[in-house]
Amino acid sequence: MPIPSKTFWIETFGCQMNVHDSERVAGTLSARGYTPVERMEDAGLILFNTCSIRDKAAQKVFSRLSQYKALHREGRVFGVLGCVAQQEGEALFRRAPHVSLVAGSASYPRLPELLARLEAGEHRVTGLDPASEEAFETELTRRDHPFRAWLTIIEGCDKHCAYCIVPYTRGGERSRASAAILREARMLADTGYTEIQLLGQNVNSYRDPSPAGLSFAELLAAVAETPGLKRVRYTTSHPRDFSAEIVRVMGDHPTLCDHVHLPSQSGSDEVLRRMRREYTRAEYLEKIALIRGCRRPLAITTDLIVGFPGENERDFEQTMSLIEEVHYSGTFIFQYSPRPHTEAGAWGETEAVPDAVKIERLMALQRRQQEIQAADNQAWVGRPVEVMIEAYQTKLAQWSGRASSNRVVNFSGDGRVEATAPGALPVYRPLRPGEYAWVRILRAGANSLVGEQIAAPPAANA
Ligand code: SAH
Ligand code: SF4
Ligand code: F3S
């Protein structure tokens, strides 16, 4: 059954790479004459861009698919993209027979061809290519975020963490040529974006495939120097590939945000070894020391997994002591979920940690981390912080945004009066999402800072 109208709707699950992939898929669709619609019910083509990192994430798409089955009877065409598509392959057609398209991220360059087949009425279209040498380049990317843009620098992952499905769903590492990245950064700055987030499963194993041969740190520096950009973030870093050079470049370029996300996963050497993380606790802490040695303070956040097979009380205490030692400014803590195609997924139940224990450990870590954050955030009270405004919170009657350290800052303020030139009349600049404001912090909680707008502090103007 051909696609009834050239309209589409796309729902995205998972990480920022997926969010950005959806923007690129939307761009490809628009280039073929499709228009996006606000409601799934109005779309001819309904796409789910899926995540498979934990079982719960993967199940979401199947519940969505059964929830909206009736739309298929009305002639709508369903497609499943992303990591669950790659993981399930053609088996997905058996589980959800009303799906017409199954495509993993490595096949997005072939989307125009896959769409043409759907348009011709084919009902079993697959794009399950293994990762090719080429990274995904599109003519057109529909940017959904009004003032923060994502920019992929490397796709896939060559590590083999025992628990992780990503190398399977996303394939091996492919870096984009530095010139293409820098061109896109300039284009984004020219169209008014001031914040860019460089994306990759493993950004610091970036290897420039072009003769320029930039290292990740050199690429960071080059992106940071793009005229018009005010903030550059990057995620995710793997501890083994994280270098002193990156910290030096961050110190030299204030455009590079005061934040490093460095997933540790566990504080126990034994668990790290079994996870195949390729570093010990001591080596991880050496990287933390490098970051702490930066010439300006950097916030550090992490991912942690609790209940990895064989994790005992002593191992868990090591993770607890790691968060005590590092004083992260934020943590993402996950219960281990066995995944197909992974090494640990095949280990069976013998060393499995019971769900109740996983939950207990997760909550204990979260409780302690909240106390650490609440105490550490007190140090911000009284200090000026520059905030990129994201939204107005009507309920709180406050603006909300993020500091360079990625901390959430809520503040009161109604714009400022600014002198333009000596002798000229001052102008009133209202606050708006996407703009920057200086805020003095008045109160600090575990998860956010609260303050009031001030004029830019003199030091910041220097
Ligand atoms: N490439 C990044 C992270 C990718 S996935 C890195 O190496 O850090 C994001 C996070 O999901 C991981 O850091 C890990 O904490 C978590 N995760 C991955 N696989 C998981 C699994 N099977 N069960 C639970 N959490 C998992
Ligand atoms: Fe997964 Fe490990 Fe690769 Fe991160 S580094 S994507 S956790 S295999
Ligand atoms: Fe999920 Fe795939 Fe990202 S598994 S976390 S959407 S790379």
Side-chain angles (χ1 to χ4, degrees), residues 98-284:
H98 57 301
V99 169
S100 303
L101 169 71
V102 173
S105 63
S107 304
Y108 298 161
R110 287 207 297 123
L111 261 183
E113 169 211 324
L114 303 178
L115 284 168
R117 287 167 52 194
L118 285 177
E119 287 160 9
E122 252 187 78
H123 181 50
R124 289 282 182 260
V125 178
T126 51
L128 297 166
D129 309 42
S132 68
E133 283 305 297
E134 306 269 306
F136 175 31
E137 304 272 352
T138 47
E139 292 291 306
L140 190 70
T141 295
R142 183 190 78 184
R143 305 267 171 190
D144 291 333
H145 201 290
F147 32 80
R148 173 176 304 129
W150 286 282
L151 202 169
T152 303
I153 63 165
I154 176 170
E155 293 181 10
C157 180
D158 278 349
K159 300 269 191 286
H160 294 282
C161 301
Y163 51 81
C164 184
I165 197 169
V166 170
Y168 181 81
T169 61
R170 294 247 166 199
E173 276 171 9
R174 292 94 68 203
S175 295
R176 286 176 71 194
S178 54
I181 296 169
L182 293 169
R183 205 179 317 119
E184 193 170 339
R186 273 196 304 276
M187 186 272 288
L188 289 166
D190 289 346
T191 46
Y193 287 97
T194 58
E195 181 174 316
I196 283 191
Q197 205 165 104
L198 304 179
L199 293 182
Q201 284 303 339
N202 230 326
V203 281
N204 43 8
S205 42
Y206 175 81
R207 256 184 222 99
D208 187 357
S210 71
L214 299 193
S215 69
F216 173 63
E218 288 165 337
L219 179 74
L220 262 187
V223 174
E225 283 161 18
T226 309
L229 289 187
K230 214 168 141 58
R231 286 185 173 181
V232 176
R233 301 182 185 278
Y234 61 92
T235 198
T236 298
S237 297
H238 190 285
R240 209 201 53 183
D241 304 326
F242 195 85
S243 65
E245 195 194 356
I246 298 173
V247 177
R248 207 166 40 245
V249 166
M250 290 181 78
D252 289 346
H253 293 82
T255 320
L256 298 172
C257 286
D258 305 345
H259 176 211
V260 179
H261 183 60
L262 198 67
S264 46
Q265 313 297 0
S266 169
S268 151
D269 277 340
E270 178 53 19
V271 173
L272 289 171
R273 188 185 64 76
R274 289 161 52 86
M275 284 179 164
R276 295 197 189 281
R277 282 295 285 181
E278 302 181 14
Y279 53 82
T280 61
R281 176 193 176 102
E283 285 163 348
Y284 179 83

Side-chain angles (χ1 to χ4, degrees), residues 15 52-55 157 159 161-166 200-202 236-239 261-265 277 302-306 332-339 342:
C15 63
S52 177
I53 200 81
R54 284 167 290 276
D55 190 52
C157 180
K159 300 269 191 286
C161 301
Y163 51 81
C164 184
I165 197 169
V166 170
Q201 284 303 339
N202 230 326
T236 298
S237 297
H238 190 285
H261 183 60
L262 198 67
S264 46
Q265 313 297 0
R277 282 295 285 181
T302 200
D303 293 346
L304 292 165
I305 295 177
V306 291
F332 300 89
I333 311 172
F334 307 105
Q335 295 177 53
Y336 169 71
S337 166
R339 306 306 296 128
T342 63

Side-chain angles (χ1 to χ4, degrees), residues 57-58 73 141 151 209 243 349 411 421 431:
R73 286 192 287 273
T141 295
L151 202 169
S243 65
E349 288 292 301
F411 67 98
L431 292 178

